[in-house]
Amino acid sequence: MVNKKLTLQLDFHSHVPIYTQIVEQVQSQLANGILKPGDQLPTVRALAEELRVNFNTIARAYRMLDEARIISTQQGRGTYITEVPSQKVTEKLKRESLIALTERFINEAQRLGFSERDISQMVRDRLKVKNETKDL
């Protein structure tokens, strides 16, 4: 059964390549427990049709995930999330996801004309608000 938990939100206006967005989102979903070892992913062809992107884009993302040992493709059976990653790998995936998310945020904020100082201050302000509301 194909995993229905895999949801990808692609930004076709981003400077981040589509295959990289896919890799980052699969890593993030694995690190956050949305995807679990043994979950089956859609075929390259099915995912390409669903996302309306080139077959080769999905193939490249899957190849990168396979090289990172995050997925395993078994001829005739499908593509699966590999066994439970170690704590070290999980922390690395989470950190890489945070870096990618931060880079997208900074790039978008800069594209909108905000300065580095504006961006830093906004992050500090939002963290402060979040911490204050967490204590309520």
Side-chain angles (χ1 to χ4, degrees):
M1 178 178 196
V2 173
N3 184 319
K4 298 298 181 194
K5 292 186 271 186
L6 177 65
T7 53
L8 301 172
Q9 296 181 332
L10 303 179
D11 180 355
F12 293 98
H13 301 290
S14 171
H15 297 294
V16 178
I18 298 299
Y19 67 88
T20 302
Q21 292 181 45
I22 294 167
V23 169
E24 290 171 354
Q25 289 182 44
V26 169
Q27 288 176 328
S28 176
Q29 290 180 35
L30 178 60
N32 292 315
I34 297 166
L35 292 174
K36 299 190 181 333
D39 284 347
Q40 186 174 10
L41 299 182
T43 64
V44 171
R45 189 170 312 287
L47 191 56
E49 287 176 13
E50 179 184 332
L51 298 175
R52 295 188 174 149
V53 298
N54 187 290
F55 174 91
N56 293 320
T57 300
I58 305 300
R60 184 171 184 181
Y62 274 25
R63 190 169 44 256
M64 292 173 72
L65 289 164
D66 188 60
E67 289 169 1
R69 294 192 166 102
I70 293 169
I71 64 171
S72 174
T73 301
Q74 301 160 10
Q75 191 67 32
R77 292 198 56 223
T79 300
Y80 297 86
I81 300 294
T82 56
E83 293 306 309
V84 179
S86 68
Q87 182 66 28
K88 184 177 180 181
V89 170
T90 299
E91 288 302 316
K92 181 178 182 253
L93 292 175
K94 286 174 73 172
R95 179 149 183 79
E96 288 174 356
S97 294
L98 180 59
I99 289 168
L101 180 63
T102 303
E103 287 177 355
R104 284 194 302 273
F105 167 73
I106 290 170
N107 288 339
E108 184 64 16
Q110 288 177 330
R111 190 183 67 76
L112 292 171
F114 291 100
S115 70
E116 184 178 319
R117 183 177 173 170
D118 293 335
I119 297 166
S120 295
Q121 187 61 49
M122 181 58 68
V123 170
R124 282 192 297 279
D125 291 348
R126 298 314 305 160
L127 284 171
K128 183 179 178 186
V129 168
K130 185 159 183 66
N131 285 332
E132 289 170 355
T133 57
K134 182 174 71 172
D135 296 333
L136 296 178

